[in-house]
Amino acid sequence: MALLLAVLCLALPLTHAAPVVDQPPPSLYNQTTDVGIAVLTAASFNQTLFPPDAEGAAPATGPLIWFVQFYNSWCGHCQRFAPTFKSLANHTLAWTRHLRLAVMDCALRDHAPLCNHYNVQSFPTMHFLPPHTPRDGPPRGEAYVGPHTEAGTYHGILDYVEKTGFPAECAALPPGALDAQWEGVKETQMALVVEAAGEDQGKDVVLSVLGQTPQLAVRRATSVNAALVASLDSGQSANGLWFISKSGEKKKHQFAVKDPKVHDYVAAIFAEDDRLAASQNLPALARTPVPYAQATARPTPAGTTSKDAPAKPHIAAPLRPLNMTDLHSALVYLFSMEINSHSHIAGADLAALHLFTGLLDDLIPFPSPVYNAVQKLRQTLQSTDQTEAASIINLLKETGLDVEHAPLQWANCQGSQSGKRGYPCALWQLFHTLTLRYYEKNRENAEANALAKESGVLRGIFGLVGRFFSCSECRDNFMREANALSSQTEVLSPRNAVLWLWRVHNGVNKRLAGDVTEDDNYPKQQFPPATLCPGCRDADGQWREDEVLQFLRAFYAVHGNAEAQATGS
Ligand SMILES: Cc1cc2nc3c(=O)[nH]c(=O)nc-3n(C[C@H](O)[C@H](O)[C@H](O)COP(=O)(O)OP(=O)(O)OC[C@H]3O[C@@H](n4cnc5c(N)ncnc54)[C@H](O)[C@@H]3O)c2cc1C
């Protein structure tokens, strides 16, 4: 009791801090400084990707591939991935005649319709649009499904180039001797890159020079093409760069370096093209230099922290007990952005949403308009076996919760920097509040099981995260813990559910401490810190779980006027 009173005394004056309406988070990308990346907005999306072509022609992408990253500026993994994507853009700058990179921030509500059109349900989602993709109709192209690393995306793009056969010159020459390879080639000279099967360097070289060598055709071959290798008659490895002419001359280029890189190939091909132009008294082509040197900047690998970076000046801000404003905005964002991105909802998705809505209805004392909307939604989901996200949004609106236009306001989850905290912070708070309200309601009930399929509070949270939480890394990490728990036991008491979630959240805090995504004023720490709960640890620093439970009950209790808090008045 003394502990409860201590927490309340500490807390109450602070819960009335004015909520702040979230400013649009700063984009993770900058159109001016991030060379090689088109930063798309609702206004520029169609104009950039699908410019109107010939008069009267339907808008479509041009003769090039677009690689579009749909990201979310509050998602930690997207924040950590941004330097990698910028480095990829730098690395692929020379390919822009044939392939371009773009980004779209799906955290912005006016971007949601476009993100939804591309079925973006987890972040980041990277999507290829092949050449001449029409703007209208169902989305075309395919998602990139490889690792979120620079090497992964680089090879993924080159695989896609090969698969789509665009540009055709990137495909390996068909089996056959040298003579047969001139069919359809208008130039009389050719730069030929020969490499082992499975190598990607030749595709990179072709993409980098194609269209910029008027005197030279550029092709690529692999050394499995035995007839071609035999006709090169090199007397040594055929792998490397060859200059050949239709009249039968062939010369293997001797690089000055032992292990030539793409830029060495490019320089040699451009030099040969210029030499051929000069031999015919033609001017050399003016080419825009590509800043290859910049491509060496390595990003922080995904999943690591910036612990080696100089320590940030942390000025720890006070952590305040629950404020209904944060829960209300979590709900608004959850429905308007996360649920809304799933056009059709049926089967296990519907069951998960129904269970979670039931928990909200049973456990959270939302003010009446929100409460009515949640209750009505619960009833509707109960009596249907499929629905559309748009119907859910309309139903909520008709019952007083207009999630598409309600302001997103953060109180305790307001970051000290725009784009930090906000939704993921409020979602944690919503989950903790649910487990604690479940505990308050069921602590005398020996039958209560937080993992029960139809009614368990953790089962509801697992369903929501597993099926609707769009931060892919957060979801995967959390569901790994959830699955480990479910494989150990089928029954969990309300008390242990509260403590399980508290422990898992502390595991995330530990992993993210010092990470680039951290808000400078809210360092990730083991919660509750001793300043908030001196009695929560024993003399050896070990947690005293009974004390932690009592502390969490006070911290996540709803005090005062929930309605006034939720509306920020
Ligand atoms: C389910 C889930 C999984 C996530 N997984 C990842 C991930 O894998 N990688 C990633 O980069 N980001 C992840 N995130 C986001 C990340 O955990 C933070 O939410 C985000 O970085 C914002 O941090 P914050 O400083 O606002 O504090 P948060 O960690 O969001 O905490 C919000 C508030 O909850 C309280 N709190 C803190 N710890 C506890 C605790 N142990 N028990 C009870 N209350 C506590 C404090 O008052 C704190 O201010 C996840 C978010 C969620 C909701």
Side-chain angles (χ1 to χ4, degrees), residues 334-355:
L334 178 66
F335 279 98
S336 65
M337 303 294 282
E338 305 266 67
I339 309 289
N340 205 6
S341 70
H342 294 245
S343 48
H344 189 73
I345 301 175
D349 286 352
L350 186 74
L353 188 58
H354 180 232
L355 175 53

mmCIF file of all heavy atoms in Angstrom, residues 334-355:
data_model
loop_
_atom_site.group_PDB
_atom_site.id
_atom_site.type_symbol
_atom_site.label_atom_id
_atom_site.label_comp_id
_atom_site.label_asym_id
_atom_site.label_seq_id
_atom_site.Cartn_x
_atom_site.Cartn_y
_atom_site.Cartn_z
ATOM 1 N N LEU A 334 -3.765 2.281 -34.692
ATOM 2 C CA LEU A 334 -3.929 0.846 -34.956
ATOM 3 C C LEU A 334 -5.018 0.608 -36.007
ATOM 4 O O LEU A 334 -4.812 -0.134 -36.974
ATOM 5 C CB LEU A 334 -4.289 0.141 -33.645
ATOM 6 C CG LEU A 334 -4.559 -1.348 -33.702
ATOM 7 C CD1 LEU A 334 -3.298 -2.104 -34.072
ATOM 8 C CD2 LEU A 334 -5.066 -1.850 -32.349
ATOM 9 N N PHE A 335 -6.163 1.260 -35.841
ATOM 10 C CA PHE A 335 -7.263 1.018 -36.785
ATOM 11 C C PHE A 335 -7.059 1.762 -38.094
ATOM 12 O O PHE A 335 -7.255 1.197 -39.170
ATOM 13 C CB PHE A 335 -8.615 1.376 -36.142
ATOM 14 C CG PHE A 335 -9.111 0.265 -35.257
ATOM 15 C CD1 PHE A 335 -8.930 0.302 -33.887
ATOM 16 C CD2 PHE A 335 -9.720 -0.852 -35.813
ATOM 17 C CE1 PHE A 335 -9.354 -0.742 -33.072
ATOM 18 C CE2 PHE A 335 -10.157 -1.907 -35.014
ATOM 19 C CZ PHE A 335 -9.972 -1.846 -33.644
ATOM 20 N N SER A 336 -6.623 3.030 -38.033
ATOM 21 C CA SER A 336 -6.571 3.817 -39.276
ATOM 22 C C SER A 336 -5.414 3.392 -40.171
ATOM 23 O O SER A 336 -5.491 3.535 -41.386
ATOM 24 C CB SER A 336 -6.483 5.312 -38.973
ATOM 25 O OG SER A 336 -5.274 5.616 -38.337
ATOM 26 N N MET A 337 -4.337 2.849 -39.586
ATOM 27 C CA MET A 337 -3.163 2.519 -40.399
ATOM 28 C C MET A 337 -2.898 1.007 -40.469
ATOM 29 O O MET A 337 -2.704 0.454 -41.538
ATOM 30 C CB MET A 337 -1.929 3.232 -39.844
ATOM 31 C CG MET A 337 -2.083 4.734 -39.768
ATOM 32 S SD MET A 337 -2.239 5.532 -41.391
ATOM 33 C CE MET A 337 -0.546 5.544 -41.925
ATOM 34 N N GLU A 338 -2.879 0.353 -39.332
ATOM 35 C CA GLU A 338 -2.476 -1.063 -39.323
ATOM 36 C C GLU A 338 -3.608 -1.972 -39.833
ATOM 37 O O GLU A 338 -3.426 -2.743 -40.767
ATOM 38 C CB GLU A 338 -2.089 -1.492 -37.900
ATOM 39 C CG GLU A 338 -1.020 -0.618 -37.257
ATOM 40 C CD GLU A 338 0.381 -1.147 -37.451
ATOM 41 O OE1 GLU A 338 0.849 -1.153 -38.604
ATOM 42 O OE2 GLU A 338 0.985 -1.543 -36.451
ATOM 43 N N ILE A 339 -4.780 -1.852 -39.204
ATOM 44 C CA ILE A 339 -5.900 -2.699 -39.623
ATOM 45 C C ILE A 339 -6.323 -2.300 -41.042
ATOM 46 O O ILE A 339 -6.612 -3.149 -41.891
ATOM 47 C CB ILE A 339 -7.107 -2.539 -38.652
ATOM 48 C CG1 ILE A 339 -6.694 -2.727 -37.194
ATOM 49 C CG2 ILE A 339 -8.266 -3.471 -39.054
ATOM 50 C CD1 ILE A 339 -6.344 -4.081 -36.732
ATOM 51 N N ASN A 340 -6.299 -1.009 -41.299
ATOM 52 C CA ASN A 340 -6.759 -0.476 -42.594
ATOM 53 C C ASN A 340 -5.900 -0.966 -43.764
ATOM 54 O O ASN A 340 -6.323 -0.919 -44.906
ATOM 55 C CB ASN A 340 -6.740 1.059 -42.530
ATOM 56 C CG ASN A 340 -7.716 1.673 -43.503
ATOM 57 O OD1 ASN A 340 -8.490 0.963 -44.147
ATOM 58 N ND2 ASN A 340 -7.679 2.983 -43.620
ATOM 59 N N SER A 341 -4.676 -1.406 -43.483
ATOM 60 C CA SER A 341 -3.816 -1.875 -44.582
ATOM 61 C C SER A 341 -4.197 -3.291 -45.034
ATOM 62 O O SER A 341 -3.686 -3.784 -46.034
ATOM 63 C CB SER A 341 -2.340 -1.838 -44.166
ATOM 64 O OG SER A 341 -2.085 -2.835 -43.216
ATOM 65 N N HIS A 342 -5.083 -3.952 -44.271
ATOM 66 C CA HIS A 342 -5.541 -5.299 -44.651
ATOM 67 C C HIS A 342 -6.911 -5.158 -45.290
ATOM 68 O O HIS A 342 -7.914 -5.059 -44.581
ATOM 69 C CB HIS A 342 -5.661 -6.200 -43.414
ATOM 70 C CG HIS A 342 -4.342 -6.487 -42.776
ATOM 71 N ND1 HIS A 342 -3.797 -7.744 -42.715
ATOM 72 C CD2 HIS A 342 -3.452 -5.670 -42.202
ATOM 73 C CE1 HIS A 342 -2.626 -7.686 -42.118
ATOM 74 N NE2 HIS A 342 -2.397 -6.427 -41.793
ATOM 75 N N SER A 343 -6.979 -5.134 -46.590
ATOM 76 C CA SER A 343 -8.266 -4.819 -47.207
ATOM 77 C C SER A 343 -9.339 -5.835 -46.793
ATOM 78 O O SER A 343 -10.371 -5.474 -46.249
ATOM 79 C CB SER A 343 -8.118 -4.759 -48.723
ATOM 80 O OG SER A 343 -7.424 -5.898 -49.170
ATOM 81 N N HIS A 344 -9.056 -7.114 -46.978
ATOM 82 C CA HIS A 344 -10.046 -8.144 -46.679
ATOM 83 C C HIS A 344 -9.621 -8.872 -45.398
ATOM 84 O O HIS A 344 -8.474 -9.289 -45.284
ATOM 85 C CB HIS A 344 -10.106 -9.120 -47.863
ATOM 86 C CG HIS A 344 -11.230 -10.078 -47.765
ATOM 87 N ND1 HIS A 344 -12.539 -9.702 -47.971
ATOM 88 C CD2 HIS A 344 -11.257 -11.397 -47.466
ATOM 89 C CE1 HIS A 344 -13.320 -10.751 -47.803
ATOM 90 N NE2 HIS A 344 -12.572 -11.788 -47.501
ATOM 91 N N ILE A 345 -10.540 -9.000 -44.466
ATOM 92 C CA ILE A 345 -10.181 -9.639 -43.189
ATOM 93 C C ILE A 345 -11.097 -10.835 -42.954
ATOM 94 O O ILE A 345 -12.321 -10.698 -42.893
ATOM 95 C CB ILE A 345 -10.284 -8.625 -42.025
ATOM 96 C CG1 ILE A 345 -9.350 -7.437 -42.304
ATOM 97 C CG2 ILE A 345 -9.941 -9.277 -40.695
ATOM 98 C CD1 ILE A 345 -9.446 -6.317 -41.304
ATOM 99 N N ALA A 346 -10.492 -12.004 -42.852
ATOM 100 C CA ALA A 346 -11.283 -13.233 -42.662
ATOM 101 C C ALA A 346 -10.409 -14.258 -41.929
ATOM 102 O O ALA A 346 -9.244 -13.992 -41.633
ATOM 103 C CB ALA A 346 -11.721 -13.782 -44.024
ATOM 104 N N GLY A 347 -11.001 -15.392 -41.619
ATOM 105 C CA GLY A 347 -10.254 -16.512 -41.044
ATOM 106 C C GLY A 347 -9.530 -16.133 -39.763
ATOM 107 O O GLY A 347 -10.091 -15.496 -38.867
ATOM 108 N N ALA A 348 -8.234 -16.518 -39.693
ATOM 109 C CA ALA A 348 -7.466 -16.309 -38.462
ATOM 110 C C ALA A 348 -7.267 -14.815 -38.173
ATOM 111 O O ALA A 348 -7.187 -14.404 -37.009
ATOM 112 C CB ALA A 348 -6.112 -17.007 -38.580
ATOM 113 N N ASP A 349 -7.191 -13.985 -39.226
ATOM 114 C CA ASP A 349 -7.061 -12.532 -39.003
ATOM 115 C C ASP A 349 -8.303 -12.001 -38.294
ATOM 116 O O ASP A 349 -8.211 -11.221 -37.341
ATOM 117 C CB ASP A 349 -6.908 -11.779 -40.338
ATOM 118 C CG ASP A 349 -5.531 -11.975 -40.941
ATOM 119 O OD1 ASP A 349 -4.666 -12.562 -40.269
ATOM 120 O OD2 ASP A 349 -5.335 -11.549 -42.103
ATOM 121 N N LEU A 350 -9.449 -12.442 -38.772
ATOM 122 C CA LEU A 350 -10.717 -11.983 -38.187
ATOM 123 C C LEU A 350 -10.827 -12.453 -36.737
ATOM 124 O O LEU A 350 -11.209 -11.687 -35.851
ATOM 125 C CB LEU A 350 -11.897 -12.509 -39.018
ATOM 126 C CG LEU A 350 -13.258 -11.995 -38.594
ATOM 127 C CD1 LEU A 350 -13.441 -10.548 -39.007
ATOM 128 C CD2 LEU A 350 -14.374 -12.837 -39.200
ATOM 129 N N ALA A 351 -10.447 -13.718 -36.507
ATOM 130 C CA ALA A 351 -10.529 -14.266 -35.142
ATOM 131 C C ALA A 351 -9.611 -13.459 -34.211
ATOM 132 O O ALA A 351 -9.998 -13.131 -33.081
ATOM 133 C CB ALA A 351 -10.130 -15.739 -35.148
ATOM 134 N N ALA A 352 -8.409 -13.130 -34.690
ATOM 135 C CA ALA A 352 -7.464 -12.372 -33.858
ATOM 136 C C ALA A 352 -8.010 -10.984 -33.559
ATOM 137 O O ALA A 352 -7.948 -10.509 -32.417
ATOM 138 C CB ALA A 352 -6.111 -12.271 -34.569
ATOM 139 N N LEU A 353 -8.589 -10.350 -34.559
ATOM 140 C CA LEU A 353 -9.123 -8.998 -34.361
ATOM 141 C C LEU A 353 -10.328 -9.026 -33.424
ATOM 142 O O LEU A 353 -10.486 -8.149 -32.574
ATOM 143 C CB LEU A 353 -9.510 -8.399 -35.721
ATOM 144 C CG LEU A 353 -9.903 -6.927 -35.705
ATOM 145 C CD1 LEU A 353 -8.768 -6.074 -35.151
ATOM 146 C CD2 LEU A 353 -10.264 -6.456 -37.104
ATOM 147 N N HIS A 354 -11.133 -10.064 -33.565
ATOM 148 C CA HIS A 354 -12.314 -10.187 -32.709
ATOM 149 C C HIS A 354 -11.898 -10.359 -31.251
ATOM 150 O O HIS A 354 -12.418 -9.707 -30.341
ATOM 151 C CB HIS A 354 -13.177 -11.367 -33.189
ATOM 152 C CG HIS A 354 -14.393 -11.551 -32.367
ATOM 153 N ND1 HIS A 354 -14.737 -12.756 -31.806
ATOM 154 C CD2 HIS A 354 -15.351 -10.677 -31.982
ATOM 155 C CE1 HIS A 354 -15.850 -12.599 -31.105
ATOM 156 N NE2 HIS A 354 -16.249 -11.361 -31.207
ATOM 157 N N LEU A 355 -10.917 -11.246 -31.018
ATOM 158 C CA LEU A 355 -10.459 -11.466 -29.643
ATOM 159 C C LEU A 355 -9.873 -10.178 -29.069
ATOM 160 O O LEU A 355 -10.180 -9.795 -27.928
ATOM 161 C CB LEU A 355 -9.413 -12.604 -29.622
ATOM 162 C CG LEU A 355 -8.733 -12.881 -28.284
ATOM 163 C CD1 LEU A 355 -9.745 -13.101 -27.168
ATOM 164 C CD2 LEU A 355 -7.805 -14.090 -28.380
#
